[in-house]
């Protein structure tokens, strides 16, 4: 590809967009997924509160939020939540 000084900025911008859309985006999405899974795993281990049945800690989940995918950057959003006992989360937080 021949690039002149007049269209150098356009060529650099095009290459950066190509690179960002493939490698960087894939790496970032993978990191987000791993972080969400690790957070759910840590929450399943329990906390400083006393729990009799262990039902609360077993129901932590992580999943990709389809509605939170960025239209501009293409990055995925992930949620970590308590599937069965979501009402208790704010009570046990403090």
């Amino acid at each position: 590809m021949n690039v002149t000084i007049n269209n150098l900025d356009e060529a650099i911008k095009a290459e950066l967009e190509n690179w960002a859309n493939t490698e960087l985006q894939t790496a970032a999405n993978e990191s987000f997924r791993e972080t969400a899974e690790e957070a759910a795993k840590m929450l399943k281990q329990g906390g400083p509160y006393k729990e009799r049945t262990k039902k609360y800690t077993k129901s932590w989940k992580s999943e990709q939020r389809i509605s939170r995918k960025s239209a501009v950057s293409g990055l995925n959003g992930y949620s970590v939540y308590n599937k069965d006992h979501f009402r208790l989360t704010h009570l046990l937080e403090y």
Side-chain angles (χ1 to χ4, degrees):
M1 176 179 171
N2 280 338
V3 178
T4 64
I5 194 72
N6 294 335
N7 64 354
L8 180 62
D9 61 334
E10 294 172 5
I12 292 173
K13 182 180 174 185
E15 287 301 315
L16 287 174
E17 286 175 353
N18 288 338
W19 178 75
N21 287 336
T22 56
E23 297 172 17
L24 185 62
Q25 184 180 24
T26 303
N29 283 333
E30 181 66 22
S31 296
F32 296 155
R33 184 189 59 78
E34 288 175 2
T35 302
E37 289 176 359
E38 183 67 26
K41 182 179 174 184
M42 289 175 62
L43 288 167
K44 283 182 181 183
Q45 293 175 356
Y49 50 87
K50 191 170 187 174
E51 186 178 2
R52 294 176 305 163
T53 62
K54 304 289 185 203
K55 290 181 181 178
Y56 179 73
T57 55
K58 288 181 180 179
S59 63
W60 283 102
K61 306 287 181 205
S62 67
E63 72 177 28
Q64 182 179 350
R65 296 175 67 186
I66 303 299
S67 64
R68 285 297 204 189
K69 185 168 184 168
S70 174
V72 176
S73 65
L75 297 177
N76 298 331
Y78 289 87
S79 293
V80 178
Y81 62 97
N82 196 301
K83 182 179 178 184
D84 299 327
H85 305 284
F86 53 89
R87 292 175 195 91
L88 293 176
T89 304
H90 75 282
L91 296 174
L92 297 172
E93 184 177 352
Y94 300 107

